[in-house]
Amino acid sequence: MSIRAPMSHLPTHEVENQPAAMGDINLYAIDVALQEAVQRENATWAEPEMTGFGAVMGRAESRDLARQADKHSPEIRPFDPYGRRINEVEFHPAYHDLMGIAMKGRVHNFAWAHDGKDGAHAAQMVLAYLFNQTEGGVSCPMAMTYAVYPALTAQADIFASLKDALLSDEYDRRSIPWSEKTGMTMGMFMTEKQGGSDVRANSTKATPVGAETGPGKAYLLNGHKWFCSAPMSDAFLTLAYTENGLTCFFLPRWKPDGSRNNLFIQRLKDKVGNRSNASSEMEFIDTYAVMVGPEGRGVPTIIEMVQHTRLFCIMGSAALMRTGLVQALYHANNRRVFQKRLIDQPLMRTLLADMALESEAASQLMMRVAGAFDRAEKSPLEQGYKRIGTAIGKYWVCKRTPNFVYEAMECHGGSGYVEENILGRMYRESPVNSIWEGSGNVMCLDVLRAMGREPESVEALVAELKEASGANPHYDAAFKEVRDSLATGAVSESRARWFTEQMAKLLQANILIRHAPNEVSDTFAATRLGPHGGLAYGTLPDGAPVDFILERAAGSLFTS
């Protein structure tokens, strides 16, 4: 890794005992655990792309683009200078640069560009994970463009017309019909004020254009949407009610005749974080759309898209953890306190090692769930794992992230609590993945729903968890407790958070026991499933292999 030298001297003093600005690093090359997961999930064939993209996203220049895009939030442009309604959003040039980097790196479509190849979705998540360690806002249109494929396949004629544009790696920022562009992105508008995650409470209505109705036919939509992120995407999937129930629709920004569609942006949300990404409130007034999938089956049609965006949420939170850890390791390695480097202070070493365990467990679960997406069509057990594992992973990894990033910020002291530091942006970003695409309680209820309606999902988890039985007493005890709760019947709704949390920690421990060094898996099991961990990070037991864990987490970060 390169380190940038100080730019100037101050007239009253030299800047001492402060780390130099982090230079260029390769985010993939320094991540040993991620490389092992790539091998496990049969994605090593994509390592040239991962290594190259890790270098791109680890550049100081990329981090600065992310800083600029966050600082200069998008602005609404409802009218042109002559009073015509255009309903557009204007972005800082850094945002467009990042969109170009993301699409050239195929953060939005790598799996579909290699559809059917073992490890394609796992490789997709690695590329997205590397991108999200630098910037999260651009990830929103990337996630939705990636996730739209399964839903669009429910309407073969529409999918066939869009496929080439969706598979392009060209970012075309022009506000023109998608059919005239070199590449396109897509979004999803579901949420309304009165319903939130309860989309069946939506009130948007769809009226057919002409006498013909049904899939592939044109409708006019009237209603509102409460959270419409990435509104400058070229097209969207949305839900609206016909006479026969809640239905999915394809909604382009431009009508087939080349005129602007009736997408009336009311305002942009002033969000806590994710500020480079525009999130809007939208009114539909006779807005042109085409039905996708069976009428009245909107939720089943779009639900697979939701599954894929939830996988992106797991990935995004795991990436924030990894960023926080790398930043904390770098700072501690280059800052001296009480005559020692921070990295040599026993209490700091314990804290960083504990955080390293959490970060590795998060990324490993992300990769295991992504692997299930690769294998689901060929294996009922993998289909079951994908169904319930996505909900469990989204709940737990996303829930753990804000406190993790805060700990990384605290490792820096006061310098971490200023906006010039990357961790301020990461901290503001950290709650978003837990809230979007189903908040914590919604995910726990989804776990219960999967258990009740799709018992094969529980079968898949139990079969997987059995694979590590007998290797660790803390794991075995926690597994028994969960199995006993299942044996007594349905888990009650009031216990859904407990059950989901236990399952998440068991799934993480299972992966580590089977695939990580014993120093990692035994310490994780003892502190997450056994009695040897605390409520805060940094409470590892005496004798924990701190040195090994830190060396593994840092990789080649300090060897330069």
Side-chain angles (χ1 to χ4, degrees):
M1 133 184 153
S2 62
I3 297 177
R4 290 194 282 181
M7 298 299 292
S8 63
H9 298 285
L10 298 172
T12 60
H13 65 284
E14 294 291 336
V15 177
E16 299 176 356
N17 195 27
Q18 289 287 352
M22 184 185 290
D24 297 342
I25 59 177
N26 189 312
L27 298 176
Y28 183 74
I30 66 172
D31 197 334
V32 174
L34 182 63
Q35 294 166 28
E36 292 174 358
V38 166
Q39 184 172 10
R40 184 186 75 232
E41 299 301 337
N42 300 316
T44 52
W45 54 270
E47 278 200 319
E49 288 87 349
M50 299 171 191
T51 303
F53 200 58
V56 170
M57 295 316 302
R59 293 187 309 216
E61 178 187 355
S62 297
R63 292 194 294 274
D64 197 55
L65 287 174
R67 178 192 63 81
Q68 294 179 59
D70 175 79
K71 183 177 181 180
H72 303 284
S73 298
E75 297 180 359
I76 188 172
R77 290 187 62 218
F79 300 95
D80 73 5
Y82 307 100
R84 299 181 183 89
R85 189 79 189 235
I86 58 174
N87 294 299
E88 293 195 353
V89 177
E90 189 172 75
F91 295 88
H92 188 269
Y95 176 88
H96 293 297
D97 289 345
L98 288 163
M99 285 286 290
I101 290 171
M103 293 186 71
K104 188 60 68 176
R106 293 197 178 276
V107 174
H108 65 306
N109 67 11
F110 189 87
W112 309 118
H114 300 86
D115 195 16
K117 193 163 186 176
D118 286 351
H121 287 279
Q124 168 97 51
M125 285 305 104
V126 171
L127 295 172
Y129 180 74
L130 297 171
F131 185 85
N132 273 257
Q133 289 179 51
T134 303
E135 216 292 308
V138 169
S139 185
C140 181
M142 296 299 101
M144 292 188 292
T145 305
Y146 160 70
V148 77
Y149 277 73
L152 283 176
T153 55
Q155 197 60 46
D157 54 344
I158 295 177
F159 179 70
S161 67
L162 298 174
K163 186 175 181 181
D164 288 345
L166 289 170
L167 285 176
S168 171
D169 66 354
E170 296 293 326
Y171 173 52
D172 191 335
R173 61 184 284 184
R174 294 176 296 169
S175 182
I176 57 176
W178 67 263
S179 58
E180 300 174 20
K181 298 180 71 169
T182 57
M184 70 178 296
T185 61
M186 284 195 62
M188 174 174 59
F189 298 163
M190 290 203 298
T191 308
E192 297 185 10
K193 297 174 185 175
Q194 69 280 359
S197 295
D198 181 10
V199 294
R200 296 193 183 279
N202 287 2
S203 61
T204 298
K205 298 292 192 294
T207 305
V209 176
E212 291 190 76
T213 63
K217 303 304 180 183
Y219 283 72
L220 297 180
L221 275 52
N222 286 274
H224 70 281
K225 296 294 174 179
W226 182 230
F227 260 95
C228 302
S229 291
M232 290 300 291
S233 298
D234 298 292
F236 312 91
L237 291 186
T238 192
L239 296 175
Y241 273 100
T242 67
E243 290 183 352
N244 294 310
L246 195 61
T247 303
C248 182
F249 289 90
F250 171 80
L251 191 161
R253 287 193 65 245
W254 296 77
K255 299 177 186 178
D257 64 5
S259 63
R260 293 178 185 271
N261 207 350
N262 299 338
L263 292 165
F264 295 99
I265 302 174
Q266 301 303 301
R267 63 167 175 161
L268 298 185
K269 303 285 192 180
D270 186 10
K271 304 190 299 293
V272 171
N274 200 249
R275 299 186 70 85
S276 64
N277 175 39
S279 298
S280 65
E281 295 175 30
M282 191 85 71
E283 294 290 338
F284 297 163
I285 303 174
D286 286 343
T287 305
Y288 171 87
V290 176
M291 185 182 292
V292 173
E295 187 172 1
R297 298 286 294 168
V299 173
T301 299
I302 209 169
I303 196 64
E304 191 63 22
M305 181 178 185
V306 175
Q307 280 288 87
H308 284 72
T309 53
R310 286 174 175 174
L311 174 59
F312 246 77
C313 288
I314 301 172
M315 174 280 304
S317 290
L320 284 170
M321 286 190 187
R322 178 64 183 174
T323 295
L325 179 63
V326 168
Q327 292 290 325
L329 287 168
Y330 178 78
H331 181 84
N333 190 62
N334 291 281
R335 171 80 166 166
R336 298 185 69 83
V337 178
F338 306 126
Q339 293 79 51
K340 289 182 180 179
R341 291 185 310 161
L342 268 176
I343 197 74
D344 295 327
Q345 302 280 355
L347 194 54
M348 179 59 77
R349 291 182 70 77
T350 301
L351 170 61
L352 291 172
D354 204 4
M355 294 171 64
L357 288 174
E358 190 74 25
S359 176
E360 177 167 347
S363 64
Q364 295 294 336
L365 183 56
M366 167 197 83
M367 290 295 286
R368 176 62 185 90
V369 175
F373 276 66
D374 280 312
R375 296 182 287 271
E377 291 188 5
K378 301 176 182 177
S379 167
L381 284 179
E382 289 294 311
Q383 178 64 44
Y385 192 106
K386 169 190 170 184
R387 169 65 183 92
I388 198 168
T390 304
I392 291 171
K394 182 186 182 303
Y395 171 77
W396 186 240
V397 175
C398 298
K399 187 68 67 181
R400 295 285 280 177
T401 301
N403 194 57
F404 186 102
V405 179
Y406 151 71
E407 285 285 4
M409 181 184 290
E410 188 172 296
C411 290
H412 290 67
S415 66
Y417 196 63
V418 294
E419 286 292 350
E420 288 92 339
N421 192 304
I422 188 176
L423 289 171
R425 173 162 53 87
M426 296 298 175
Y427 185 64
R428 288 186 281 104
E429 184 80 11
S430 62
V432 69
N433 292 307
S434 188
I435 295 170
W436 284 5
E437 302 298 357
S439 58
N441 283 354
V442 172
M443 300 318 301
C444 292
L445 293 175
D446 195 43
V447 170
L448 298 190
R449 186 180 301 111
M451 292 167 59
R453 298 180 181 178
E454 302 169 55
E456 63 274 13
S457 63
V458 178
E459 179 186 348
L461 293 190
V462 171
E464 178 103 351
L465 293 175
K466 283 181 178 178
E467 293 292 323
S469 293
N472 183 282
H474 305 300
Y475 177 89
D476 291 344
F479 185 25
K480 181 180 184 303
E481 185 179 17
V482 165
R483 293 188 73 178
D484 288 346
S485 69
L486 290 172
T488 60
V491 176
S492 69
E493 187 173 312
S494 62
R495 291 276 282 169
R497 280 202 175 210
W498 169 84
F499 180 82
T500 305
E501 175 179 329
Q502 288 299 105
M503 289 301 297
K505 292 187 291 186
L506 278 166
L507 289 176
Q508 290 177 323
N510 176 277
I511 300 166
L512 296 176
I513 288 170
R514 295 166 62 198
H515 301 288
N518 291 339
E519 292 89 342
V520 172
S521 59
D522 288 348
T523 310
F524 183 88
T527 53
R528 272 62 175 180
L529 299 173
H532 302 299
L535 297 179
Y537 293 109
T539 56
L540 300 182
D542 285 337
V546 169
D547 293 348
F548 180 91
I549 294 169
L550 286 179
E551 183 178 348
R552 176 179 172 82
S556 59
L557 183 62
F558 304 141
T559 58
S560 63

Coordinates of all heavy atoms in Angstrom, one line a residue, residues 204-207 209 218-225 238-242 247-251 262 283-291:
T204 N -52.3 3.0 -4.6 CA -52.2 3.3 -6.0 C -53.0 2.4 -6.9 O -53.0 1.2 -6.8 CB -50.7 3.2 -6.4 OG1 -49.9 4.1 -5.6 CG2 -50.5 3.6 -7.9
K205 N -53.7 3.0 -7.9 CA -54.7 2.3 -8.7 C -54.1 2.3 -10.2 O -53.5 3.2 -10.7 CB -56.0 3.0 -8.8 CG -56.7 3.0 -7.4 CD -57.1 1.6 -7.0 CE -58.1 1.7 -5.7 NZ -57.4 2.2 -4.5
A206 N -54.4 1.2 -10.9 CA -54.1 1.0 -12.3 C -55.3 0.8 -13.1 O -56.1 0.0 -12.8 CB -53.1 -0.2 -12.4
T207 N -55.4 1.6 -14.2 CA -56.5 1.5 -15.1 C -56.1 1.2 -16.5 O -55.1 1.8 -17.0 CB -57.3 2.9 -15.1 OG1 -57.6 3.3 -13.8 CG2 -58.5 2.8 -16.0
V209 N -55.4 0.9 -20.4 CA -55.6 1.8 -21.6 C -56.2 1.0 -22.7 O -55.6 0.1 -23.3 CB -54.2 2.3 -22.1 CG1 -54.3 3.1 -23.3 CG2 -53.5 3.1 -21.0
A218 N -50.8 -2.1 -21.5 CA -50.6 -0.8 -21.0 C -51.7 -0.4 -20.0 O -52.9 -0.7 -20.2 CB -50.5 0.2 -22.1
Y219 N -51.3 0.3 -18.9 CA -52.2 0.8 -17.9 C -51.7 2.3 -17.6 O -50.6 2.7 -17.8 CB -52.1 0.0 -16.7 CG -52.8 -1.3 -16.8 CD1 -52.4 -2.4 -17.6 CD2 -54.0 -1.6 -16.1 CE1 -53.0 -3.6 -17.7 CE2 -54.7 -2.8 -16.2 CZ -54.2 -3.8 -17.0 OH -54.9 -4.9 -17.1
L220 N -52.6 3.0 -16.9 CA -52.3 4.3 -16.4 C -52.4 4.2 -14.9 O -53.4 3.7 -14.3 CB -53.3 5.4 -16.9 CG -53.2 5.6 -18.4 CD1 -54.2 6.7 -18.8 CD2 -51.8 6.0 -18.8
L221 N -51.4 4.6 -14.2 CA -51.3 4.5 -12.7 C -51.6 5.9 -12.1 O -51.1 6.9 -12.6 CB -49.9 4.0 -12.3 CG -49.7 2.5 -12.3 CD1 -50.1 1.9 -13.5 CD2 -48.2 2.2 -11.9
N222 N -52.3 5.9 -11.0 CA -52.6 7.1 -10.2 C -52.4 6.8 -8.7 O -53.0 5.8 -8.2 CB -54.0 7.6 -10.5 CG -54.2 8.2 -11.8 OD1 -53.9 9.4 -12.0 ND2 -54.6 7.5 -12.8
G223 N -51.6 7.6 -8.1 CA -51.3 7.3 -6.7 C -50.0 8.0 -6.2 O -49.5 8.9 -6.9
H224 N -49.4 7.5 -5.2 CA -48.2 8.1 -4.6 C -47.3 7.0 -4.2 O -47.7 5.9 -3.8 CB -48.5 9.1 -3.5 CG -49.0 8.3 -2.3 ND1 -50.3 7.9 -2.1 CD2 -48.3 8.0 -1.1 CE1 -50.3 7.3 -0.9 NE2 -49.2 7.3 -0.3
K225 N -46.0 7.3 -4.1 CA -45.0 6.4 -3.5 C -44.1 7.3 -2.6 O -43.7 8.3 -2.9 CB -44.1 5.8 -4.6 CG -44.9 4.9 -5.6 CD -45.5 3.6 -4.9 CE -46.4 2.8 -5.8 NZ -46.9 1.6 -5.2
T238 N -43.0 -1.4 -10.1 CA -43.9 -0.8 -9.0 C -45.1 -1.7 -8.8 O -45.4 -2.6 -9.7 CB -44.2 0.6 -9.4 OG1 -44.8 1.3 -8.2 CG2 -45.2 0.7 -10.5
L239 N -45.8 -1.4 -7.8 CA -47.1 -2.1 -7.5 C -48.3 -1.2 -7.5 O -48.2 0.0 -7.0 CB -47.0 -2.8 -6.1 CG -45.9 -3.9 -5.9 CD1 -45.9 -4.3 -4.4 CD2 -46.1 -5.1 -6.8
A240 N -49.4 -1.7 -8.1 CA -50.6 -0.9 -8.1 C -51.8 -1.9 -8.1 O -51.6 -3.0 -8.6 CB -50.6 0.0 -9.3
Y241 N -52.9 -1.4 -7.7 CA -54.1 -2.3 -7.6 C -54.9 -2.1 -9.0 O -55.2 -1.1 -9.4 CB -55.0 -1.9 -6.5 CG -54.7 -2.5 -5.2 CD1 -54.0 -1.9 -4.2 CD2 -55.1 -3.9 -4.9 CE1 -53.6 -2.5 -3.0 CE2 -54.8 -4.5 -3.7 CZ -54.1 -3.8 -2.8 OH -53.7 -4.4 -1.6
T242 N -55.2 -3.3 -9.5 CA -56.2 -3.4 -10.6 C -57.5 -3.9 -9.9 O -57.6 -4.1 -8.7 CB -55.8 -4.4 -11.7 OG1 -55.8 -5.7 -11.1 CG2 -54.4 -4.0 -12.2
T247 N -50.8 -5.7 -8.3 CA -50.2 -6.2 -9.5 C -48.9 -5.5 -9.7 O -48.7 -4.3 -9.3 CB -51.1 -6.0 -10.7 OG1 -52.4 -6.7 -10.4 CG2 -50.5 -6.6 -11.9
C248 N -47.9 -6.1 -10.4 CA -46.6 -5.6 -10.7 C -46.7 -4.9 -12.1 O -47.3 -5.4 -13.0 CB -45.6 -6.7 -10.7 SG -43.9 -6.1 -11.0
F249 N -46.0 -3.8 -12.2 CA -45.9 -3.0 -13.4 C -44.5 -2.5 -13.7 O -43.7 -2.2 -12.8 CB -46.8 -1.8 -13.3 CG -48.3 -2.1 -13.3 CD1 -49.0 -2.3 -12.1 CD2 -49.0 -2.2 -14.5 CE1 -50.3 -2.6 -12.1 CE2 -50.3 -2.5 -14.5 CZ -51.0 -2.7 -13.3
F250 N -44.2 -2.5 -15.0 CA -43.0 -1.9 -15.6 C -43.3 -0.5 -15.9 O -44.2 -0.2 -16.8 CB -42.5 -2.7 -16.8 CG -41.4 -2.1 -17.5 CD1 -40.0 -2.2 -17.1 CD2 -41.6 -1.4 -18.7 CE1 -39.0 -1.6 -17.8 CE2 -40.5 -0.8 -19.4 CZ -39.2 -0.9 -18.9
L251 N -42.5 0.4 -15.4 CA -42.8 1.8 -15.5 C -41.5 2.6 -16.1 O -40.6 2.8 -15.3 CB -43.2 2.4 -14.2 CG -43.9 3.8 -14.1 CD1 -44.6 3.9 -12.8 CD2 -42.8 4.9 -14.2
N262 N -45.3 10.6 -16.7 CA -45.9 11.4 -15.7 C -45.4 11.0 -14.3 O -46.1 10.4 -13.5 CB -47.4 11.4 -15.7 CG -47.9 12.0 -17.0 OD1 -47.2 12.7 -17.7 ND2 -49.1 11.6 -17.4
E283 N -45.4 11.3 -7.2 CA -46.9 11.2 -7.5 C -47.0 10.6 -8.9 O -46.3 11.0 -9.8 CB -47.5 12.5 -7.5 CG -47.6 13.2 -6.1 CD -48.5 12.5 -5.1 OE1 -49.5 11.8 -5.6 OE2 -48.4 12.6 -3.9
F284 N -47.9 9.6 -9.0 CA -48.3 9.1 -10.4 C -49.6 9.7 -10.8 O -50.6 9.6 -10.0 CB -48.5 7.6 -10.3 CG -47.3 6.8 -9.9 CD1 -47.4 5.5 -9.5 CD2 -46.0 7.3 -10.1 CE1 -46.3 4.7 -9.2 CE2 -44.9 6.6 -9.7 CZ -45.0 5.3 -9.3
I285 N -49.6 10.4 -11.9 CA -50.9 11.0 -12.4 C -51.0 10.5 -13.9 O -50.3 11.0 -14.8 CB -50.9 12.6 -12.3 CG1 -50.7 13.0 -10.9 CG2 -52.2 13.1 -12.9 CD1 -50.5 14.5 -10.7
D286 N -51.9 9.6 -14.1 CA -52.0 8.9 -15.4 C -50.6 8.6 -15.9 O -50.2 8.9 -17.1 CB -52.7 9.9 -16.4 CG -54.2 10.0 -16.1 OD1 -54.7 9.1 -15.4 OD2 -54.8 10.9 -16.6
T287 N -49.9 7.9 -15.1 CA -48.5 7.5 -15.5 C -48.5 6.1 -16.2 O -49.1 5.2 -15.8 CB -47.7 7.3 -14.2 OG1 -47.8 8.5 -13.4 CG2 -46.2 7.0 -14.5
Y288 N -47.9 6.2 -17.4 CA -47.8 5.0 -18.3 C -47.0 3.8 -17.6 O -45.9 4.0 -17.1 CB -47.2 5.4 -19.6 CG -47.0 4.2 -20.5 CD1 -48.0 3.7 -21.4 CD2 -45.8 3.6 -20.6 CE1 -47.8 2.7 -22.2 CE2 -45.5 2.5 -21.4 CZ -46.5 2.1 -22.2 OH -46.3 1.0 -23.1
A289 N -47.6 2.6 -17.7 CA -46.9 1.4 -17.2 C -47.4 0.2 -17.9 O -48.5 0.3 -18.5 CB -47.1 1.3 -15.7
V290 N -46.7 -0.9 -17.9 CA -47.1 -2.1 -18.5 C -47.1 -3.2 -17.5 O -46.2 -3.3 -16.6 CB -46.1 -2.5 -19.6 CG1 -46.4 -3.8 -20.2 CG2 -46.1 -1.4 -20.7
M291 N -48.2 -4.0 -17.5 CA -48.3 -5.1 -16.5 C -47.2 -6.1 -16.7 O -46.9 -6.6 -17.8 CB -49.7 -5.7 -16.6 CG -49.9 -6.8 -15.5 SD -51.6 -7.6 -15.6 CE -52.7 -6.2 -15.3

